[in-house]
Short mmCIF file of all heavy atoms in Angstrom, two decimals:
data_model
loop_
_atom_site.label_atom_id
_atom_site.label_comp_id
_atom_site.label_asym_id
_atom_site.label_seq_id
_atom_site.Cartn_x
_atom_site.Cartn_y
_atom_site.Cartn_z
N VAL V 1 -140.37 36.23 -95.30
CA VAL V 1 -139.16 35.76 -95.97
C VAL V 1 -138.45 36.97 -96.56
O VAL V 1 -139.09 37.82 -97.19
CB VAL V 1 -139.50 34.76 -97.10
CG1 VAL V 1 -138.22 34.27 -97.78
CG2 VAL V 1 -140.29 33.58 -96.55
N PHE V 2 -137.13 37.05 -96.34
CA PHE V 2 -136.32 38.10 -96.96
C PHE V 2 -135.44 37.42 -97.99
O PHE V 2 -134.49 36.72 -97.66
CB PHE V 2 -135.48 38.82 -95.91
CG PHE V 2 -134.84 40.09 -96.42
CD1 PHE V 2 -135.55 41.28 -96.46
CD2 PHE V 2 -133.52 40.09 -96.87
CE1 PHE V 2 -134.97 42.45 -96.94
CE2 PHE V 2 -132.92 41.25 -97.34
CZ PHE V 2 -133.65 42.44 -97.38
N LEU V 3 -135.82 37.59 -99.26
CA LEU V 3 -135.07 36.96 -100.35
C LEU V 3 -133.84 37.78 -100.71
O LEU V 3 -133.93 39.01 -100.85
CB LEU V 3 -135.94 36.85 -101.61
CG LEU V 3 -137.03 35.79 -101.69
CD1 LEU V 3 -137.60 35.76 -103.10
CD2 LEU V 3 -136.51 34.41 -101.31
N THR V 4 -132.71 37.11 -100.85
CA THR V 4 -131.50 37.78 -101.32
C THR V 4 -130.85 36.92 -102.40
O THR V 4 -131.28 35.79 -102.64
CB THR V 4 -130.48 37.98 -100.17
OG1 THR V 4 -130.04 36.70 -99.70
CG2 THR V 4 -131.07 38.78 -99.03
N ALA V 5 -129.85 37.47 -103.03
CA ALA V 5 -129.00 36.74 -103.97
C ALA V 5 -127.75 37.60 -104.13
O ALA V 5 -127.76 38.77 -103.77
CB ALA V 5 -129.70 36.52 -105.31
N SER V 6 -126.69 37.01 -104.65
CA SER V 6 -125.48 37.80 -104.84
C SER V 6 -125.76 38.94 -105.82
O SER V 6 -126.63 38.80 -106.70
CB SER V 6 -124.35 36.92 -105.39
OG SER V 6 -124.64 36.55 -106.73
N PRO V 7 -125.05 40.08 -105.69
CA PRO V 7 -125.28 41.19 -106.63
C PRO V 7 -125.14 40.76 -108.08
O PRO V 7 -125.92 41.19 -108.95
CB PRO V 7 -124.20 42.20 -106.23
CG PRO V 7 -123.93 41.92 -104.79
CD PRO V 7 -124.08 40.44 -104.65
N GLU V 8 -124.16 39.90 -108.36
CA GLU V 8 -123.94 39.45 -109.74
C GLU V 8 -125.12 38.62 -110.24
O GLU V 8 -125.56 38.76 -111.39
CB GLU V 8 -122.64 38.63 -109.82
CG GLU V 8 -121.37 39.41 -109.54
CD GLU V 8 -121.16 39.72 -108.07
OE1 GLU V 8 -121.78 39.05 -107.21
OE2 GLU V 8 -120.38 40.64 -107.77
N GLU V 9 -125.62 37.74 -109.39
CA GLU V 9 -126.77 36.90 -109.77
C GLU V 9 -128.01 37.76 -109.99
O GLU V 9 -128.77 37.56 -110.96
CB GLU V 9 -127.03 35.87 -108.66
CG GLU V 9 -128.27 35.02 -108.86
CD GLU V 9 -128.10 33.94 -109.92
OE1 GLU V 9 -127.01 33.83 -110.51
OE2 GLU V 9 -129.07 33.21 -110.18
N ARG V 10 -128.24 38.72 -109.12
CA ARG V 10 -129.40 39.60 -109.26
C ARG V 10 -129.31 40.39 -110.57
O ARG V 10 -130.30 40.55 -111.29
CB ARG V 10 -129.50 40.55 -108.07
CG ARG V 10 -129.90 39.83 -106.77
CD ARG V 10 -129.62 40.70 -105.55
NE ARG V 10 -130.15 42.03 -105.72
CZ ARG V 10 -129.59 43.14 -105.20
NH1 ARG V 10 -128.50 43.05 -104.47
NH2 ARG V 10 -130.16 44.31 -105.39
N ALA V 11 -128.10 40.90 -110.86
CA ALA V 11 -127.91 41.68 -112.09
C ALA V 11 -128.10 40.81 -113.33
O ALA V 11 -128.68 41.24 -114.33
CB ALA V 11 -126.53 42.32 -112.09
N ARG V 12 -127.62 39.58 -113.27
CA ARG V 12 -127.76 38.67 -114.41
C ARG V 12 -129.24 38.40 -114.70
O ARG V 12 -129.68 38.46 -115.84
CB ARG V 12 -127.03 37.35 -114.13
CG ARG V 12 -127.09 36.35 -115.28
CD ARG V 12 -126.59 34.99 -114.87
NE ARG V 12 -127.42 34.36 -113.85
CZ ARG V 12 -128.62 33.83 -114.09
NH1 ARG V 12 -129.15 33.88 -115.30
NH2 ARG V 12 -129.31 33.27 -113.10
N ARG V 13 -130.01 38.15 -113.63
CA ARG V 13 -131.44 37.88 -113.81
C ARG V 13 -132.16 39.08 -114.40
O ARG V 13 -132.98 38.95 -115.31
CB ARG V 13 -132.08 37.54 -112.45
CG ARG V 13 -131.66 36.21 -111.87
CD ARG V 13 -132.23 36.07 -110.48
NE ARG V 13 -131.77 34.87 -109.81
CZ ARG V 13 -131.92 34.65 -108.51
NH1 ARG V 13 -132.53 35.55 -107.76
NH2 ARG V 13 -131.49 33.54 -107.96
N ARG V 14 -131.86 40.25 -113.85
CA ARG V 14 -132.55 41.45 -114.33
C ARG V 14 -132.15 41.76 -115.77
O ARG V 14 -132.99 42.17 -116.58
CB ARG V 14 -132.22 42.63 -113.39
CG ARG V 14 -132.95 43.93 -113.67
CD ARG V 14 -134.45 43.78 -113.76
NE ARG V 14 -135.09 43.26 -112.57
CZ ARG V 14 -135.57 44.01 -111.59
NH1 ARG V 14 -135.47 45.32 -111.65
NH2 ARG V 14 -136.19 43.45 -110.57
N ALA V 15 -130.88 41.56 -116.12
CA ALA V 15 -130.41 41.80 -117.49
C ALA V 15 -131.09 40.85 -118.46
O ALA V 15 -131.51 41.25 -119.56
CB ALA V 15 -128.89 41.65 -117.57
N ASP V 16 -131.24 39.59 -118.06
CA ASP V 16 -131.94 38.61 -118.91
C ASP V 16 -133.40 39.01 -119.10
O ASP V 16 -133.95 38.91 -120.19
CB ASP V 16 -131.88 37.21 -118.27
CG ASP V 16 -130.49 36.59 -118.35
OD1 ASP V 16 -129.64 37.14 -119.08
OD2 ASP V 16 -130.25 35.56 -117.67
N GLU V 17 -134.01 39.49 -118.01
CA GLU V 17 -135.42 39.88 -118.05
C GLU V 17 -135.64 41.08 -118.96
O GLU V 17 -136.60 41.14 -119.72
CB GLU V 17 -135.87 40.22 -116.62
CG GLU V 17 -137.31 40.65 -116.47
CD GLU V 17 -137.61 41.12 -115.04
OE1 GLU V 17 -137.06 40.53 -114.09
OE2 GLU V 17 -138.36 42.11 -114.90
N LEU V 18 -134.70 42.03 -118.89
CA LEU V 18 -134.84 43.27 -119.66
C LEU V 18 -134.19 43.21 -121.04
O LEU V 18 -134.37 44.11 -121.85
CB LEU V 18 -134.24 44.45 -118.87
CG LEU V 18 -134.86 44.75 -117.50
CD1 LEU V 18 -134.07 45.83 -116.78
CD2 LEU V 18 -136.32 45.17 -117.66
N GLY V 19 -133.38 42.17 -121.25
CA GLY V 19 -132.65 42.07 -122.52
C GLY V 19 -131.61 43.16 -122.66
O GLY V 19 -131.44 43.75 -123.73
N THR V 20 -130.89 43.43 -121.56
CA THR V 20 -129.92 44.52 -121.58
C THR V 20 -128.58 44.05 -121.03
O THR V 20 -128.40 42.87 -120.71
CB THR V 20 -130.47 45.73 -120.77
OG1 THR V 20 -129.62 46.84 -120.95
CG2 THR V 20 -130.57 45.41 -119.29
N ASP V 21 -127.64 44.97 -120.92
CA ASP V 21 -126.27 44.66 -120.53
C ASP V 21 -126.15 44.45 -119.02
O ASP V 21 -126.60 45.27 -118.23
CB ASP V 21 -125.36 45.83 -120.98
CG ASP V 21 -123.94 45.67 -120.50
OD1 ASP V 21 -123.31 44.68 -120.87
OD2 ASP V 21 -123.48 46.56 -119.75
N GLN V 22 -125.49 43.35 -118.61
CA GLN V 22 -125.40 43.02 -117.19
C GLN V 22 -124.60 44.04 -116.40
O GLN V 22 -124.94 44.37 -115.26
CB GLN V 22 -124.77 41.63 -117.02
CG GLN V 22 -124.76 41.14 -115.57
CD GLN V 22 -124.29 39.71 -115.44
OE1 GLN V 22 -124.49 38.89 -116.34
NE2 GLN V 22 -123.66 39.39 -114.32
N ALA V 23 -123.51 44.56 -117.00
CA ALA V 23 -122.67 45.53 -116.29
C ALA V 23 -123.46 46.81 -115.98
O ALA V 23 -123.34 47.38 -114.89
CB ALA V 23 -121.43 45.87 -117.12
N THR V 24 -124.29 47.23 -116.93
CA THR V 24 -125.13 48.42 -116.72
C THR V 24 -126.14 48.17 -115.61
O THR V 24 -126.34 49.02 -114.72
CB THR V 24 -125.89 48.79 -118.02
OG1 THR V 24 -124.94 48.97 -119.07
CG2 THR V 24 -126.70 50.05 -117.85
N VAL V 25 -126.75 47.00 -115.63
CA VAL V 25 -127.74 46.65 -114.60
C VAL V 25 -127.07 46.59 -113.23
O VAL V 25 -127.62 47.08 -112.24
CB VAL V 25 -128.41 45.29 -114.92
CG1 VAL V 25 -129.30 44.86 -113.77
CG2 VAL V 25 -129.22 45.38 -116.20
N LEU V 26 -125.87 46.03 -113.17
CA LEU V 26 -125.14 45.91 -111.89
C LEU V 26 -124.86 47.29 -111.31
O LEU V 26 -125.03 47.52 -110.11
CB LEU V 26 -123.83 45.14 -112.10
CG LEU V 26 -123.04 44.76 -110.85
CD1 LEU V 26 -123.84 43.87 -109.94
CD2 LEU V 26 -121.73 44.07 -111.25
#
């Protein structure tokens, strides 16, 4: 399986996980 998601969705998830700014993560 090759999992993907939109760049914005991926950045939002990672920002939530790290407790950081979404724009920086993107």
Side-chain angles (χ1 to χ4, degrees):
V1 181
F2 192 83
L3 284 188
T4 64
S6 69
E8 294 75 19
E9 175 75 1
R10 290 164 49 212
R12 181 191 64 74
R13 291 174 185 167
R14 185 52 60 91
D16 288 349
E17 180 187 324
L18 299 174
T20 188
D21 174 60
Q22 185 173 329
T24 304
V25 174
L26 188 61

